[in-house]
Amino acid sequence: MTNPTQAQADTEIIGSAGPADAVDPAAAPELKGRSPGQIMWRRFLRDRTGVISAVIVALFLLVAICAPLISMVYGKNPSETYGQDTPGLLTEIGGLPTGPNGGISSDFWFGLEPGLGRDVLTQLVYGIRTSLLIAVITTVVTTVLGIAIGIIAGYVGGKTDYFIGRFIDVLLSFPSQIFFIACVPVVDSLFVSPDEQTPVWLRTVTVIIVLSILGWMGLARILRAVSLSLREREFVEAARVTGASPMRIIFRELLPNLWTPILVQSTLALPAFVTAEAGLSYLGVGIVEPTPDWGRMIAIGANYYQTDITYLFFPGVAMVIFVLAFNLLGDSVRDAFDPKTKR
């Protein structure tokens, strides 16, 4: 579980923002008369990998949104222990599914969970909702923090920039894995006594807070660097001369020229938060029972991989496909905004 946005922070080409990089219609006659958004959309549609990745991501999002409908049509739910309630579905010793391939059948399309005997398909579908909910909220929080702190540091400069930069350096020096594992129980203990079970909503909020604390620095550093460059441009100087306030300059002059790195970094951050959340659940400090979660499914499957690899297979493959598709989508979005970065 590494810092979700820092991995891309040092490799992004951040000098592409600003009016100076508008497309020259003479160099591309077919783009004459089109807006920058239309040009970027045409570039994206020509990227077959990006389009396929977008379709896969959209399917995952659709499954997450329609999870209750899928469960109703399928006739199963993620919490009921079918293997324990119906004799013959699990072995008496070890609680393994009696059917082949983890108990896959016409009744249980993806098999049964070893031990408790819950339906794997509905757990997987609802697990998508859990991971995406946490990842989306965390991405929004870290993006807002990164925008606010990065632009302030870059535009104000001076001592403000220095102290913000040193604060970011201190946070980046924290070992994220140890910080995550240590902080989740501490936050829980502030609201729940040791003899009480942690509510699901509290653990969800805790995970979002912990992931957000160390998730905004990469975007902030990129926006700081771009803002330092943009504040010396003529259009910013012209706004100062006309008496525009700093807030007006930030919102009307700087921010519109920063959407490229903001969108790209946010797109690349979301799948990283999905894996980070799953990692916390795998280590036992993430989402608690009975809420379905990919990380906890993988942790349970790791205990049975020698006797029932099927239960580990489905959440593992689903996570790999989703994260890979979202990362490829992020690369395609970056190339669409700035084709000069395309390798």
Side-chain angles (χ1 to χ4, degrees), residues 12-31:
E12 283 291 327
I13 298 180
I14 59 178
S16 60
D21 293 311
V23 176
D24 183 8
E30 72 278 5
L31 301 179

Side-chain angles (χ1 to χ4, degrees), residues 3 22 33 50 63 98 111 130-131 138 159-161 166 169 171 190 201 209 258 273 311 327:
N3 184 4
V63 169
T98 56
T130 303
S131 297
T138 305
K159 292 183 178 181
T160 301
D161 180 30
R166 301 297 74 76
D169 291 338
L171 290 181
L190 297 176
W201 69 266
I209 292 174
L258 296 174
F273 285 127
Y311 188 72
N327 282 330

Side-chain angles (χ1 to χ4, degrees), residues 9 25 49 86 165 172 243 247:
T49 301
T86 304
L172 289 175
M247 293 300 296

Side-chain angles (χ1 to χ4, degrees), residues 14-143:
I14 59 178
S16 60
D21 293 311
V23 176
D24 183 8
E30 72 278 5
L31 301 179
K32 185 176 181 179
R34 298 185 181 274
S35 66
Q38 291 174 325
I39 295 173
M40 295 167 190
W41 179 246
R42 286 172 61 90
R43 288 178 189 149
F44 178 78
L45 292 180
R46 284 197 292 264
D47 189 340
R48 183 175 301 177
T49 301
V51 173
I52 295 175
S53 300
V55 171
I56 294 174
V57 170
L59 288 176
F60 272 88
L61 294 174
L62 183 63
V63 169
I65 295 172
C66 299
L69 179 62
I70 295 173
S71 177
M72 182 180 66
V73 174
Y74 178 53
K76 303 291 188 302
N77 64 74
S79 59
E80 188 169 343
T81 54
Y82 299 98
Q84 295 183 351
D85 299 337
T86 304
L89 293 179
L90 299 178
T91 60
E92 295 183 0
I93 301 176
L96 298 175
T98 56
N101 300 318
I104 294 178
S105 65
S106 58
D107 293 326
F108 303 98
W109 296 357
F110 283 12
L112 293 168
E113 176 190 10
L116 295 177
R118 294 179 293 193
D119 179 71
V120 176
L121 176 58
T122 51
Q123 280 200 312
L124 194 66
V125 169
Y126 275 87
I128 298 175
R129 287 168 64 93
T130 303
S131 297
L132 284 181
L133 174 65
I134 293 175
V136 168
I137 295 176
T138 305
T139 301
V140 172
V141 173
T142 55
T143 300

Side-chain angles (χ1 to χ4, degrees), residues 109-341:
W109 296 357
F110 283 12
L112 293 168
E113 176 190 10
L116 295 177
R118 294 179 293 193
D119 179 71
V120 176
L121 176 58
T122 51
Q123 280 200 312
L124 194 66
V125 169
Y126 275 87
I128 298 175
R129 287 168 64 93
T130 303
S131 297
L132 284 181
L133 174 65
I134 293 175
V136 168
I137 295 176
T138 305
T139 301
V140 172
V141 173
T142 55
T143 300
V144 172
L145 288 174
I147 291 173
I149 297 175
I151 294 180
I152 290 174
Y155 179 74
V156 176
K159 292 183 178 181
T160 301
D161 180 30
Y162 175 81
F163 286 114
I164 290 178
R166 301 297 74 76
F167 179 66
I168 291 176
D169 291 338
V170 170
L171 290 181
L172 289 175
S173 67
F174 277 77
S176 58
Q177 294 182 1
I178 298 176
F179 181 84
F180 290 150
I181 297 171
C183 280
V184 171
V186 171
V187 176
D188 282 348
S189 65
L190 297 176
F191 301 97
V192 181
S193 60
D195 57 340
E196 295 180 357
Q197 185 177 4
T198 303
V200 174
W201 69 266
L202 177 59
R203 181 55 64 86
T204 302
V205 173
T206 300
V207 171
I208 292 173
I209 292 174
V210 171
L211 291 177
S212 299
I213 289 175
L214 293 182
W216 56 269
M217 290 87 71
L219 178 60
R221 293 181 70 177
I222 290 176
L223 297 185
R224 169 195 170 273
V226 180
S227 298
L228 282 172
S229 173
L230 290 178
R231 72 176 186 173
E232 305 299 332
R233 298 281 186 93
E234 291 80 1
F235 62 93
V236 176
E237 291 293 338
R240 289 199 190 99
V241 171
T242 58
S245 64
M247 293 300 296
R248 180 179 176 84
I249 293 176
I250 289 175
F251 282 100
R252 297 294 297 273
E253 307 297 340
L254 295 182
L255 194 57
N257 291 289
L258 296 174
W259 286 118
T260 297
I262 291 172
L263 181 59
V264 171
Q265 287 297 307
S266 300
T267 305
L268 294 173
L270 192 145
F273 285 127
V274 169
T275 56
E277 182 276 326
L280 290 176
S281 297
Y282 180 87
L283 295 171
V285 292
I287 301 302
V288 296
E289 292 280 10
T291 304
D293 183 82
W294 281 356
R296 197 172 61 252
M297 291 180 68
I298 295 174
I300 296 173
N303 297 326
Y304 293 94
Y305 76 94
Q306 292 182 326
T307 54
D308 183 16
I309 190 64
T310 308
Y311 188 72
L312 179 63
F313 174 80
F314 286 114
V317 170
M319 179 169 293
V320 169
I321 293 175
F322 176 79
V323 173
L324 178 61
F326 225 115
N327 282 330
L328 292 176
L329 176 62
D331 291 339
S332 298
V333 170
R334 178 193 60 200
D335 295 338
F337 272 100
D338 186 8
K340 294 184 293 183
T341 65

